[in-house]
Amino acid sequence: MHNLLAFLTKYYHWFIFLLLEVASGVMLFRYNSYQGSVWVSSANAVVGKVYEWQSGLEQYFSLVEQNEALTRRNLILEQQLRLYKEQKADAHEDSVQSLQTMMNHLGSYRFVQAKVVSNSINRADNLITIDRGTADGVEVDMGVACGTGVVGVVYQTSTHYSIVIPVLNKWSRISCAIRGKGYFGYVTWDGGNPVIAYVDDIPRHAKFKVGDWVETSGYSSIFPKGILIGKILEIADSPDGLSYRLKINLSTDFSRLRDVCVITEKDFADRMRLNEAARDSMALQRSRN
């Protein structure tokens, strides 16, 4: 208490000065119309700018949420469109049954929304880090896609983060098919251009053309059928001449990748445990032989 009184005694003239300044300012702007209007205008300008910044921040965070929703929605709509076309081609099938088949197919998958926190496109062994892990239900060997197509496959997981091997990795090998043709092969990347990849092992008797789309085949347990991978740019022979090698323009722009979805079947864990048990059984059988 003694120190407080000593402080006030020492600096009381400054407090009186501030008090008089505030009082004079109030009287100046309150009892003079011109100065009052200037004060109101300035205050409104400041408040308006603050509200503008606040609105901008709200819109930014709103756009983030909208982008996440659109990424997931695009994937679902892509699958719905493909299944609708397939069911429409079968004229003998009842429309109600077609709708039920489509919904059952989509219902067997779930989508875990994630954001890319680290990405590279200029290496031979590019990797992507996403902000979802085992705590969110993400497991190794799950597929990853965005609103425009395939991204890659989960390679490693921790509690809250996962590493993804993207299409732009020399070790990536994703099963694919030519849309509407039924011929399938594997997508690989040779390095260099981040928008170009190749499809190998397309049979020589296959009928297709430049401009056809390449999509996931559905033959692996990683991706459902029909997720876009790219469009055919060139058709060439494989090095051994026994199949075609296709040059494709990737539908996913990896240089701007932000929002992705991890895709998995609802019975993914049970199926992986069954596969692991089968591999262990085969290894045991070989050791006995």
Side-chain angles (χ1 to χ4, degrees):
M1 187 66 180
H2 176 73
N3 292 336
L4 177 61
L5 291 175
F7 175 79
L8 293 176
T9 301
K10 184 177 181 180
Y11 297 104
Y12 74 94
H13 53 280
W14 286 107
F15 292 105
I16 294 175
F17 172 76
L18 291 175
L19 181 63
L20 292 176
E21 284 290 319
V22 171
S24 61
V26 170
M27 289 187 291
L28 176 66
F29 292 113
R30 183 172 183 179
Y31 298 107
N32 293 274
S33 58
Y34 174 74
Q35 286 82 358
S37 63
V38 171
W39 166 258
V40 171
S41 299
S42 301
N44 286 341
V46 172
V47 172
K49 182 59 69 174
V50 171
Y51 284 148
E52 181 181 347
W53 291 339
Q54 179 183 356
S55 176
L57 286 174
E58 291 176 351
Q59 290 179 7
Y60 172 77
F61 288 112
S62 175
L63 286 175
V64 170
E65 295 176 357
Q66 291 177 22
N67 285 336
E68 292 177 352
L70 285 173
T71 299
R72 184 174 184 275
R73 187 58 180 165
N74 283 346
L75 284 172
I76 294 174
L77 288 175
E78 181 68 26
Q79 293 299 299
Q80 288 178 335
L81 179 60
R82 179 188 61 80
L83 290 169
Y84 173 75
K85 289 180 178 179
E86 290 181 356
Q87 299 298 340
K88 185 177 179 181
D90 298 331
H92 63 277
E93 187 173 2
D94 181 76
S95 60
V96 176
Q97 184 180 351
S98 299
L99 178 61
Q100 187 62 47
T101 301
M102 179 176 66
M103 296 310 296
N104 289 341
H105 175 80
L106 293 174
S108 65
Y109 292 91
R110 67 185 185 91
F111 302 88
V112 179
Q113 201 79 36
K115 287 190 177 298
V116 173
V117 297
S118 176
N119 185 18
S120 64
I121 61 173
N122 56 1
R123 304 174 182 173
D125 55 350
N126 295 300
L127 295 174
I128 295 173
T129 303
I130 59 175
D131 64 349
R132 293 291 183 269
T134 54
D136 309 290
V138 177
E139 301 290 345
V140 173
D141 290 334
M142 287 184 175
V144 181
C146 65
T148 56
V150 166
V151 172
V153 179
V154 176
Y155 174 58
Q156 291 181 348
T157 59
S158 64
T159 304
H160 299 293
Y161 294 93
S162 298
I163 302 296
V164 177
I165 292 182
V167 175
L168 303 184
N169 187 298
K170 63 181 180 180
W171 301 110
S172 175
R173 188 174 172 86
I174 296 175
S175 177
C176 66
I178 300 175
R179 174 168 287 184
K181 309 299 182 181
Y183 305 110
F184 64 92
Y186 294 92
V187 175
T188 59
W189 186 64
D190 289 351
N193 196 333
V195 300
I196 299 296
Y198 295 89
V199 178
D200 295 308
D201 296 340
I202 297 294
R204 297 284 298 180
H205 63 272
K207 303 296 183 182
F208 56 91
K209 63 183 183 300
V210 170
D212 284 347
W213 284 99
V214 175
E215 62 186 13
T216 53
S217 65
Y219 293 146
S220 74
S221 58
I222 297 176
F223 290 102
K225 180 181 178 182
I227 299 179
L228 286 181
I229 299 177
K231 182 180 288 188
I232 299 175
L233 296 178
E234 296 178 8
I235 303 172
D237 292 333
S238 63
D240 59 12
L242 300 178
S243 60
Y244 286 124
R245 190 171 206 240
L246 313 181
K247 182 179 180 180
I248 64 171
N249 183 23
L250 294 172
S251 60
T252 298
D253 185 352
F254 286 88
S255 64
R256 302 176 61 186
L257 196 60
R258 177 61 179 170
D259 297 291
V260 298
C261 282
V262 181
I263 308 172
T264 179
E265 292 178 283
K266 291 182 177 179
D267 60 351
F268 180 85
D270 291 338
R271 179 165 44 77
M272 293 304 294
R273 282 193 293 269
L274 181 61
N275 289 342
E276 187 66 26
R279 285 194 292 267
D280 292 343
S281 177
M282 292 171 62
L284 179 61
Q285 186 66 31
R286 285 195 297 268
S287 66
R288 289 175 177 176
N289 295 335

